[in-house]
Amino acid sequence: MAKCRRRVQYLGHVQGVGFRARARMIASRHAVAGWVRNLDDGGVELVVEGEESVVLRFLDEVARDLGRYIAGVEATDEVPTDPPDAGFVIRY
């Protein structure tokens, strides 16, 4: 099974709406690891890692659940960490 790691920046009215807490809750339903944090420019950055199909399902659920706040998305693939990250946390 292919592992993947994706860094995603969400643009729009994504701060002050519970985005990070909601992303962490969604992550708890998927076998993913990573983190989410607010950015100084008003966006939110999320890094997620796991089996590619699971990561894609997680990101799809984030988009469906929080889409009303998202005006744009910038995503890049990264090399998975070795050993992989554990858990999904909010970074401050």
Side-chain angles (χ1 to χ4, degrees), residues 10-92:
Y10 295 97
L11 312 168
H13 182 68
V14 292
Q15 290 189 18
V17 296
F19 195 103
R20 293 174 300 161
R22 190 78 183 142
R24 185 178 59 190
M25 188 191 72
I26 293 168
S28 72
R29 297 194 294 262
H30 299 271
V32 296
W35 49 267
V36 62
R37 69 178 177 168
N38 284 344
L39 297 173
D40 291 339
D41 66 3
V44 170
E45 181 178 41
L46 181 148
V47 174
V48 61
E49 185 170 356
E51 296 294 334
E52 185 173 17
S53 62
V54 178
V55 166
L56 293 175
R57 283 194 302 272
F58 163 73
L59 292 173
D60 183 59
E61 187 172 345
V62 168
R64 281 193 326 268
D65 190 74
L66 297 162
R68 65 189 170 277
Y69 305 112
I70 300 169
V73 177
E74 297 174 4
T76 56
D77 290 327
E78 299 182 345
V79 176
T81 57
D82 187 24
D85 288 338
F88 191 93
V89 299
I90 296 173
R91 287 191 177 174
Y92 297 94

